[in-house]
Amino acid sequence: ETQMDNPCKWLDDASWDNITELDKLTNFHGIANSFEQYARDWHLWYTSPEPEEAMLPGEWGNSCNELQKMLVVRSLRKDRVAFCSTSFIINNLGSKFTEPPVLDMNAVVEDSNCRTPLIFVLSTGVDPTSGLVQLADEVGMKNRFSALSLGQGQAPLATKLIKEGVKEGNWVYLANCHLSLSWMPHLDKLVEQLQSEEPHPDFRLWLSSNPTKDFPISILQAGLKMTTEPPKGLKANMKRLYGLVSERTFSRCKKPEKYKKLLFTLCFFHSVLIERRKFLQLGWNIPYDFNDSDFEVSENLLNMYLDEYEETPWDALKYLIAGVNYGGHVTDDLDRRLLHTYINDFFNESVLNVPFYKLSSLNDTYYVPKDGPYQHYKDYISLLPSVDHPAAFGQHPNADITSQIRETHMLFETLLSLQPQVSSVKGESTEDKVLALAQDVKEHLPELIDYENTVSVLAEERHTPLGVVL
């Protein structure tokens, strides 16, 4: 079939191919011709920084519903598809479906029992260890909590901890099961034994692992699965970091005025380092896995050094946090220079002395809020924008396009992977095969036993040898 020539020099061939394919759909007949009729209006829409918010040119502005407009955005501006999808979900289902829920560990413990393993499916930058230790402290299990990171040579100790925990009612946490896959069959047997034994009612087996196909299916089926979605954006990252800091920790420093402000800048520092990864080589020359442990160690250093010294030891704090703690991950010289640039901006006397100290070039968006209680800082974070402007990281707006297109590709790949897998040979989907197998099993099952007639027959023959035996 002959394709209509592209009438717009500013429109690339791939986008024009999308439009001509879209033109074949019932509700989009004539959209390709409109590019010749409204060329200037389409160019203004195409170059708009937020085309999903702008009206479509000509009659298409009134004739397209929200979903149909998403198809136009997908055809021309793939970098804005994620924003369209989020808006569509909020308008039709509610905002709660776009915000990752906070894992309630207390509710998880209440739903579990001594025979049910509790499994953390790990995601990038998230470490459940500190939250688990804090939970054990809250429920009075701190002195009966054992944690072990699996790896080479740790299998005998792990087995010992589980057997002791079953008898004494301890909590046992085996971290990083994916690093000890050869021991997983033995762990599978230990979990299976829990179903037949009588473990102490207080016993809990906690496991953590990266997603891997070699993790025993039977453990997954027997256990409670939990995962924490990697937070996306500065707001979500800071909100989660403040969730790691309890009110008791927030109030323990002897110099609260300094500590509260520097804790906020530390959270912002950590969030910026993590979020820069979305810019790929424009963010870091080498992607680094900064995690919760880096933040927790830095927070402890901040508290300790503020308590120990009358004058704020800026050089020591910056060296230990950026040079040693976070800097221990960094291997590229230019990345290290970037790290030190950030720490110099966020850790200096102006943070303590200048009211509403600006943390980015977006003057009215990111700043250190005025002093207040723990909840005051959390309330301020909840007011931050959900979508970060590239300028918050010192980047040009164009730097965000690549990461947004990559996110769009991941979104569509995930959606396509969820579709039924159709066999090209027989034309049967996986669901059809399962239903056919279930029907076959059902047909081979024997008929139900007629208990009433069987009893009457046996009653008549109760004096026979067979009747006596039965």
Side-chain angles (χ1 to χ4, degrees):
E1 186 177 344
T2 305
Q3 186 185 56
M4 177 182 171
D5 291 335
N6 184 354
C8 305
K9 294 181 179 179
W10 47 265
L11 189 62
D12 62 273
D13 292 340
S15 297
W16 181 246
D17 290 341
N18 291 335
I19 289 297
T20 54
E21 289 299 315
L22 193 64
D23 191 272
K24 297 175 183 178
L25 298 180
T26 304
N27 293 320
F28 291 96
H29 290 330
I31 192 171
N33 291 324
S34 71
F35 276 76
E36 190 171 7
Q37 186 179 1
Y38 303 108
R40 182 175 177 276
D41 294 338
W42 274 115
H43 183 254
L44 290 173
W45 183 90
Y46 181 76
T47 55
S48 170
E50 296 180 352
E52 70 278 3
E53 301 294 337
M55 284 285 289
L56 292 173
E59 69 274 12
W60 299 102
N62 297 321
S63 61
C64 290
N65 59 31
E66 192 174 7
L67 182 59
Q68 291 168 341
K69 187 174 181 179
M70 284 176 62
L71 296 180
V72 179
V73 174
R74 160 65 182 88
S75 301
L76 298 174
R77 289 288 302 272
K78 288 191 291 186
D79 58 303
R80 305 303 297 179
V81 169
F83 299 97
C84 285
S85 304
T86 301
S87 178
F88 183 81
I89 292 171
I90 291 174
N91 294 337
N92 291 275
L93 296 177
S95 60
K96 70 176 183 179
F97 289 95
T98 63
E99 300 171 357
V102 178
L103 179 62
D104 187 351
M105 301 280 280
N106 289 294
V108 171
V109 173
E110 291 176 3
D111 291 341
S112 67
N113 57 56
C114 55
R115 294 187 174 89
T116 307
L118 300 108
I119 307 160
F120 291 103
V121 181
L122 299 176
S123 53
T124 305
V126 177
D127 183 7
T129 305
S130 60
L132 195 52
V133 171
Q134 185 176 334
L135 175 67
D137 190 18
E138 291 174 359
V139 299
M141 294 293 293
K142 185 176 182 180
N143 296 327
R144 296 160 64 192
F145 176 79
S146 301
L148 177 68
S149 181
L150 292 179
Q152 188 174 7
Q154 299 298 314
L157 181 56
T159 304
K160 179 184 176 183
L161 289 175
I162 292 176
K163 291 183 177 180
E164 288 179 353
V166 168
K167 294 179 182 178
E168 301 173 8
N170 301 331
W171 281 14
V172 179
Y173 174 47
L174 304 180
N176 302 321
C177 291
H178 58 280
L179 299 180
S180 187
L181 293 175
S182 61
W183 183 67
M184 287 298 101
H186 184 67
L187 177 62
D188 193 5
K189 293 180 181 178
L190 292 174
V191 172
E192 188 177 350
Q193 290 174 6
L194 294 178
Q195 314 308 317
S196 57
E197 295 178 354
E198 289 294 333
H200 192 287
D202 293 338
F203 171 71
R204 293 293 184 277
L205 176 61
W206 302 82
L207 308 171
S208 74
S209 174
N210 281 345
T212 172
K213 62 181 180 180
D214 296 319
F215 194 89
I217 298 295
S218 55
I219 296 181
L220 291 173
Q221 292 173 336
L224 292 177
K225 281 78 67 180
M226 301 159 282
T227 187
T228 302
E229 183 180 347
K232 181 183 174 184
L234 295 175
K235 175 182 177 180
N237 272 284
M238 294 191 67
K239 187 175 181 180
R240 192 179 64 81
L241 291 174
Y242 264 84
L244 297 176
V245 179
S246 64
E247 288 200 49
R248 184 174 63 182
T249 302
F250 186 77
S251 306
R252 66 180 175 175
C253 186
K254 297 175 183 176
K255 299 183 178 67
E257 298 84 4
K258 292 182 179 181
Y259 173 80
K260 292 176 183 180
K261 290 186 175 182
L262 292 178
L263 175 65
F264 186 87
T265 59
L266 177 63
C267 290
F268 192 80
F269 172 74
H270 180 91
S271 302
V272 166
L273 298 188
I274 288 179
E275 284 301 302
R276 279 190 72 93
R277 285 185 304 205
K278 71 179 182 179
F279 298 111
L280 302 179
Q281 274 67 39
L282 295 176
W284 298 100
N285 286 332
I286 301 172
Y288 304 105
D289 290 329
F290 301 113
N291 53 49
D292 292 348
S293 298
D294 299 321
F295 170 76
E296 290 161 7
V297 171
S298 299
E299 187 276 327
N300 284 328
L301 285 171
L302 177 63
N303 177 73
M304 181 174 65
Y305 272 71
L306 290 179
D307 282 349
E308 290 290 332
Y309 296 92
E310 191 63 34
E311 295 290 329
T312 307
W314 294 113
D315 291 339
L317 283 173
K318 288 189 285 190
Y319 174 74
L320 290 172
I321 293 175
V324 177
N325 196 20
Y326 287 92
H329 297 276
V330 179
T331 56
D332 184 85
D333 290 338
L334 293 176
D335 289 341
R336 187 176 294 276
R337 187 172 77 174
L338 173 67
L339 193 65
H340 286 288
T341 300
Y342 274 129
I343 199 70
N344 287 330
D345 283 347
F346 300 153
F347 274 66
N348 55 65
E349 283 291 344
S350 298
V351 174
L352 303 178
N353 300 328
V354 177
F356 305 109
Y357 178 78
K358 310 302 181 189
L359 297 173
S360 80
S361 58
L362 301 172
N363 293 335
D364 298 329
T365 307
Y366 301 102
Y367 55 84
V368 179
K370 64 180 181 181
D371 194 13
Y374 177 72
Q375 189 60 40
H376 169 73
Y377 289 88
K378 296 186 72 173
D379 291 341
Y380 168 74
I381 292 171
S382 66
L383 299 176
L384 295 176
S386 299
V387 179
D388 305 317
H389 193 280
F393 308 93
Q395 296 276 18
H396 188 275
N398 288 347
D400 214 16
I401 294 177
T402 302
S403 65
Q404 289 168 355
I405 292 177
R406 188 163 58 98
E407 184 178 350
T408 298
H409 288 159
M410 290 177 59
L411 172 64
F412 288 136
E413 287 173 4
T414 304
L415 289 174
L416 290 173
S417 70
L418 296 175
Q419 285 188 327
Q421 301 298 313
V422 179
S423 171
S424 59
V425 180
K426 295 184 179 180
E428 289 183 330
S429 68
T430 306
E431 288 80 1
D432 293 334
K433 292 180 180 179
V434 172
L435 290 173
L437 180 61
Q439 183 64 30
D440 183 62
V441 172
K442 183 178 179 181
E443 291 174 356
H444 285 80
L445 287 175
E447 295 182 3
L448 294 175
I449 298 175
D450 188 348
Y451 288 103
E452 293 183 1
N453 291 334
T454 303
V455 170
S456 62
V457 170
L458 290 177
E460 296 174 359
E461 300 180 359
R462 62 181 180 273
H463 299 299
T464 65
L466 178 62
V468 171
V469 172
L470 295 175

